[in-house]
Amino acid sequence: MHHRQRLLHQDRPYDAVPAVNPTFSQINTTLDNPALRPAYFSFGKNEPQTLDLANDSTADDTVQVMVSYQYPLLRRLRLQMVDRRGRTVATPYDGHWISRNDGAGTGMAFYGWDGTRTDGTPAPGGTYHLRLVFDKAMGDADLAPPTETWTSPEVTLVR
């Protein structure tokens, strides 16, 4: 008889641990997790953003998603930009084998988009969403989804 030992986290299988850290927002009640933000190290609630490349300001030339993840080891983490039809137009971040090495309510990462497609060409003006895709290492689909996603509020790209 084959017996597979389960790794446990707070008396439950790691598979059941959510990718996104719920403790982060419980401890930091003024912040959402994840949160779509206007700039790197901008903290606050999750809100629609405008990426305005037509004005003279550089303050709104990127949008960022701030996230604190909880799962101990991600096989892969992607930030995708998707259009209104759900098609991926850019993948600004695609990381492999990412470990969480911070405590509860701490440890933030920022991932951003500057209005370009994956091939480096400008994306057309319009409405987009950032999507985080978390692929858990050692996931067991019978216990919990091995992949989790989060989709941001709207990002309006102005050219």
Side-chain angles (χ1 to χ4, degrees):
M1 174 183 235
H2 177 70
H3 175 71
R4 182 176 164 192
Q5 185 176 5
R6 305 294 312 149
L7 294 173
L8 298 179
H9 172 73
Q10 298 175 352
D11 298 325
R12 61 184 176 163
Y14 269 125
D15 306 84
V17 174
V20 172
N21 183 357
T23 307
F24 184 85
S25 294
Q26 293 166 355
I27 292 171
N28 306 292
T29 58
T30 61
L31 307 176
D32 284 336
N33 183 38
L36 179 63
R37 305 302 306 138
Y40 187 66
F41 278 107
S42 172
F43 304 96
K45 294 291 187 177
N46 197 17
E47 299 175 351
Q49 298 294 320
T50 299
L51 178 61
D52 193 340
L53 302 175
N55 63 17
D56 292 332
S57 173
T58 58
D60 53 5
D61 286 356
T62 64
V63 291
Q64 302 283 326
V65 62
M66 177 188 74
V67 62
S68 174
Y69 46 88
Q70 173 175 290
Y71 198 76
L73 181 62
L74 298 172
R75 183 174 49 79
R76 188 175 182 194
L77 171 61
R78 284 164 283 166
L79 172 66
Q80 300 172 327
M81 290 306 303
V82 295
D83 64 15
R84 283 187 174 254
R85 295 182 178 150
R87 296 177 299 198
T88 302
V89 297
T91 304
Y93 181 80
D94 190 352
H96 298 268
W97 300 111
I98 299 166
S99 63
R100 180 185 61 97
N101 59 0
D102 45 48
T106 64
M108 294 173 290
F110 287 81
Y111 303 100
W113 186 53
D114 63 1
T116 58
R117 294 180 176 142
T118 300
D119 65 6
T121 61
T127 303
Y128 298 88
H129 293 272
L130 282 89
R131 179 171 57 206
L132 288 171
V133 182
F134 303 91
D135 294 326
K136 300 175 180 180
M138 304 176 295
D140 184 339
D142 292 337
L143 296 173
T147 298
E148 293 180 23
T149 61
W150 172 85
T151 303
S152 77
E154 290 184 349
V155 173
T156 304
L157 174 59
V158 178
R159 289 214 176 266

